[in-house]
Amino acid sequence: MRIFEETRIMNKTIVLKILNTIGIALTALTAIGFASTNSVKAASVTTLLQDNFNQENRSVGLLNYNQFANWNVIKQSVDLIGNGYFDFLPGNGLYVDLDGSRGQAGTLQSKTIFDFQAGDTVNLNFQLAGNQRNDVIDPTTVSLGSLFSETFRLPKLQEFTSFTRSFTVASATSAKLEISETGGDYFGLLLDNVTLTKSVPESGSIIDLAHSFLLAYRFQVLPNQYILEEQRMRLPLIISPWVP
């Protein structure tokens, strides 16, 4: 009876150790899932372009302006207005009339070529307002190479409205940001507060965490012999039948 009792106690002790180790492994897996989830949320964000036009031309408006810090005017003309100068929407600093004072609508193109990799998440934010002067609605197209293109038409009296577009890059590419209006009546949509960012995913975060943090265990409980065999990264956990 004493031998049987000692064997029973030993069996219970081994089972408790096994369950304890399983608990540790499950806790580790939970930690990995939590950490990897937060690592995605905390993915590296890079601001590629951010422009409110307020520092242009020493903060003074100018018709047919073409000396932008971040943009080239590649077609026709645009006007830099606001701050009391042809200021149709006061309180917004300087902004751009996309149909300049030469009777032909203009196109802004970013001076920088932006590089993107597969998996990057691109976020584009900008504000547009109606021309505030006449009822002609000229279309304005915002594009980023082959990644994105959308045309906007706003009523005359619409105030600055924020637009946000997000998309994921399918394959590596490079592109410039363009904002182009079609028309030629001196009255264009108004542009302000352009921001372009990309989020780079944390590559292999779950696998890296798992390799560095977790050892998977395989337990074999055999009659009269108890073996705890440590094996790296063998999932799922395997527990062989045991004899009570």
Side-chain angles (χ1 to χ4, degrees):
M1 290 295 294
R2 182 177 179 180
I3 295 175
F4 176 79
E5 182 64 20
E6 289 177 351
T7 301
R8 189 177 66 82
I9 293 173
M10 183 172 61
N11 283 341
K12 291 177 66 177
T13 301
I14 293 297
V15 170
L16 289 174
K17 288 182 178 179
I18 291 172
L19 293 176
N20 181 62
T21 308
I22 292 174
I24 294 172
L26 291 176
T27 300
L29 287 171
T30 301
I32 289 171
F34 176 80
S36 60
T37 299
N38 282 275
S39 71
V40 172
K41 292 180 180 178
S44 175
V45 178
T46 301
T47 299
L48 303 175
L49 185 150
Q50 190 168 34
D51 201 343
N52 61 13
F53 306 105
N54 289 338
Q55 303 306 313
E56 298 290 347
N57 197 41
R58 293 173 295 181
S59 301
V60 177
L62 184 65
L63 300 181
N64 300 319
Y65 184 69
N66 62 2
Q67 299 298 314
F68 291 97
N70 297 312
W71 309 87
N72 291 317
V73 181
I74 62 171
K75 291 181 182 179
Q76 305 309 323
S77 67
V78 300
D79 293 336
L80 180 67
I81 59 176
N83 275 351
Y85 181 77
F86 293 100
D87 197 353
F88 306 112
L89 293 171
N92 291 286
L94 289 177
Y95 44 93
V96 177
D97 180 344
L98 291 169
D99 193 340
S101 297
R102 292 179 181 168
Q104 293 293 326
T107 297
L108 290 177
Q109 184 185 74
S110 64
K111 292 182 176 180
T112 303
I113 301 174
F114 305 111
D115 297 321
F116 303 97
Q117 301 300 320
D120 288 354
T121 298
V122 181
N123 289 282
L124 175 60
N125 302 275
F126 53 92
Q127 290 184 319
L128 290 173
N131 68 56
Q132 309 299 309
R133 286 155 288 181
N134 70 14
D135 292 322
V136 177
I137 299 177
D138 295 326
T140 294
T141 300
V142 180
S143 61
L144 184 62
S146 61
L147 294 174
F148 168 80
S149 181
E150 186 173 349
T151 298
F152 299 84
R153 294 175 173 84
L154 277 64
K156 174 179 70 175
L157 295 180
Q158 183 164 333
E159 297 186 355
F160 276 116
T161 303
S162 295
F163 296 90
T164 299
R165 299 294 183 265
S166 298
F167 45 91
T168 301
V169 178
S171 59
T173 189
S174 298
K176 288 187 175 184
L177 180 62
E178 282 193 13
I179 302 174
S180 178
E181 179 153 326
T182 301
D185 54 11
Y186 303 96
F187 307 128
L189 293 189
L190 308 179
L191 171 71
D192 204 2
N193 295 318
V194 182
T195 301
L196 178 67
T197 67
K198 69 175 179 179
S199 300
V200 181
E202 299 290 343
S203 60
S205 57
I206 297 177
I207 296 175
D208 294 339
L209 282 169
H211 275 90
S212 62
F213 191 67
L214 178 63
L215 292 177
Y217 294 93
R218 183 178 70 183
F219 299 96
Q220 295 177 345
V221 183
L222 305 175
N224 302 318
Q225 185 179 11
Y226 300 87
I227 303 173
L228 175 60
E229 186 180 26
E230 181 185 272
Q231 295 186 329
R232 187 177 299 272
M233 294 313 297
R234 290 197 180 182
L235 295 175
L237 297 173
I238 300 173
I239 303 178
S240 301
W242 58 280
V243 178

